[in-house]
């Protein structure tokens, strides 16, 4: 209760509808979505700290208390799990449909093992993309990885990866959903498709290769963490890319 309004309305572009007990409901601008999700989740278990008056994720803070303005606030503690449902929708989408989808996603996150988030992208065409993931991949925050991939696919940047590689990968491997896939084959093909999707200025080869390498590493982490679920993997990538469009 102490941190939610600050996260949603003061530090980011959002509107808090409800916060009480362990439930939160809020509207959030698309560009701030991953940041709000991230801060809300880790504030819940107290894995945050204040720097220059702003909330920052600090997974090393496992004591269950957060110091703010000279006062220690008790949180749910490091063992608390958090399930979150998210719906991305056009502002003209009927509100009931959007809210129902939020609760459907929360239930889906819980049913997939708890301590996860589920996002549904409701396209204006009626299509849906649903992505589910754990909050952490090894020692990395999944939301941080998605933010890096989102930024890497942003066409407004000087260099970027075209999101066309997502559908190409899906077409190549979709028939192998139930097959144990070779790590070498998957990683090699992801690198090949991403390299071909690179767009950027004439620059030293080393800079181009470093940009591609960093993007590839994050894509590979995401793929293997979600247990080779190709539909889920490509949906998460599509959602991250869509967030650049601001539609």
């Amino acid at each position: 209760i102490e941190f939610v309004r600050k996260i949603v309305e003061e530090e980011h572009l959002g509107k808090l509808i409800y916060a009480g007990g362990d439930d939160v409901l809020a509207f959030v601008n698309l560009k701030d979505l991953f940041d709000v999700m991230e801060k809300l989740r880790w504030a819940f278990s107290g894995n945050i700290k204040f720097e220059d008056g702003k909330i920052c994720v600090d997974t090393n803070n496992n004591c269950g208390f957060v110091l703010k303005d000279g006062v220690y606030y008790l949180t749910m503690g490091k063992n608390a799990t958090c399930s979150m449902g998210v719906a991305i929708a056009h502002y003209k989408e009927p509100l009931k449909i959007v809210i129902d989808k939020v609760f459907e996603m929360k239930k889906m996150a819980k049913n997939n093992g708890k301590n996860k988030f589920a996002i549904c992208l409701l396209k204006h065409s009626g299509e849906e993309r649903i992505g589910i993931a754990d909050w952490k991949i090894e020692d990395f925050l999944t939301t941080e990885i998605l933010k890096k991939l989102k930024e890497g696919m942003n066409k407004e940047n000087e260099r970027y990866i075209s999101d066309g590689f997502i559908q190409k990968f899906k077409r190549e491997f979709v028939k192998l959903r139930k097959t144990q896939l070779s790590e070498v084959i998957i990683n090699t093909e992801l690198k090949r498709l991403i390299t071909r999707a690179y767009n950027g200025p004439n620059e030293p080869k080393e800079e181009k290769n470093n940009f591609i390498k960093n993007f590839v590493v994050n894509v590979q982490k995401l793929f293997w963490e979600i247990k080779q679920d190709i539909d889920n993997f490509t949906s998460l990538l599509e959602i991250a890319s869509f967030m650049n469009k601001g539609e």
Side-chain angles (χ1 to χ4, degrees), residues 222-239:
L222 185 65
F223 180 83
W224 293 107
E225 175 60 26
I226 59 176
K227 310 298 186 288
Q228 307 178 44
D229 185 334
I230 292 172
D231 289 326
N232 193 24
F233 168 69
T234 54
S235 289
L236 285 168
L237 288 175
E238 286 185 73
I239 289 168

Side-chain angles (χ1 to χ4, degrees), residues 11 38-39 42-43 46-59 61 66:
E11 296 190 358
E38 186 175 283
K39 289 182 182 181
W42 297 108
N47 299 116
I48 58 170
K49 63 182 177 181
F50 276 79
E51 286 187 353
D52 300 323
K54 292 187 176 182
I55 293 174
C56 302
V57 174
D58 180 11
T59 54
N61 179 16
V66 176

Side-chain angles (χ1 to χ4, degrees), residues 31-44:
K31 70 181 181 66
D32 286 346
L33 176 59
F34 284 144
D35 286 324
V36 171
M37 289 172 60
E38 186 175 283
K39 289 182 182 181
L40 286 177
R41 189 269 169 264
W42 297 108
F44 184 65

Side-chain angles (χ1 to χ4, degrees), residues 24-234:
V24 172
L25 179 64
F27 290 100
V28 182
N29 186 277
L30 202 58
K31 70 181 181 66
D32 286 346
L33 176 59
F34 284 144
D35 286 324
V36 171
M37 289 172 60
E38 186 175 283
K39 289 182 182 181
L40 286 177
R41 189 269 169 264
W42 297 108
F44 184 65
S45 54
N47 299 116
I48 58 170
K49 63 182 177 181
F50 276 79
E51 286 187 353
D52 300 323
K54 292 187 176 182
I55 293 174
C56 302
V57 174
D58 180 11
T59 54
N60 292 319
N61 179 16
N62 292 316
C63 66
F65 291 89
V66 176
L67 179 63
K68 178 191 177 190
D69 300 329
V71 178
Y72 282 98
Y73 289 90
L74 176 64
T75 66
M76 294 295 290
K78 64 179 182 179
N79 295 325
T81 61
C82 175
S83 301
M84 185 181 293
V86 178
I88 299 174
H90 191 273
Y91 75 97
K92 289 186 177 180
E93 191 76 33
L95 185 58
K96 185 179 187 308
I97 292 176
V98 180
I99 298 298
D100 286 348
K101 187 60 67 173
V102 167
F103 285 100
E104 181 186 330
M105 290 300 100
K106 186 179 77 168
K107 185 176 180 180
M108 187 175 289
K110 286 180 178 290
N111 290 343
N112 275 270
K114 295 186 178 181
N115 206 30
K116 299 176 186 285
F117 61 84
I119 304 177
C120 179
L121 169 60
L122 293 158
K123 291 190 174 182
H124 213 38
S125 62
E127 289 183 272
E128 290 185 2
R129 295 289 184 273
I130 295 176
I132 308 169
D134 290 307
W135 288 104
K136 291 183 77 174
I137 294 176
E138 297 173 353
D139 292 328
F140 302 94
L141 303 185
T142 307
T143 43
E144 280 294 330
I145 291 174
L146 289 171
K147 282 189 283 186
K148 290 176 182 178
L149 294 176
K150 169 181 173 287
E151 190 62 19
M153 292 185 282
N154 189 347
K155 294 181 180 180
E156 293 185 0
N157 293 334
E158 183 181 29
R159 58 177 72 86
Y160 66 92
I161 303 296
S162 171
D163 62 7
F165 85 91
I166 302 170
Q167 288 303 317
K168 290 178 182 177
F169 178 83
K170 188 172 184 177
R171 284 196 299 269
E172 289 179 9
F173 290 96
V174 72
K175 294 180 180 179
L176 301 175
R177 282 193 185 99
K178 297 181 180 180
T179 305
Q180 187 68 26
L181 302 173
S182 163
E183 184 172 350
V184 174
I185 291 174
I186 291 292
N187 288 346
T188 301
E189 185 59 5
L190 280 171
K191 183 178 180 181
R192 185 187 75 85
L193 290 172
I194 290 168
T195 301
R196 289 174 63 90
Y198 173 81
N199 291 271
N202 292 324
E203 58 186 349
K205 188 175 181 181
E206 183 178 355
E207 291 185 21
K208 172 184 174 181
N209 289 342
N210 284 338
F211 181 86
I212 293 172
K213 179 182 177 181
N214 290 333
F215 191 88
V216 168
V217 166
N218 283 312
V219 169
Q220 290 172 346
K221 282 179 187 173
L222 185 65
F223 180 83
W224 293 107
E225 175 60 26
I226 59 176
K227 310 298 186 288
Q228 307 178 44
D229 185 334
I230 292 172
D231 289 326
N232 193 24
F233 168 69
T234 54

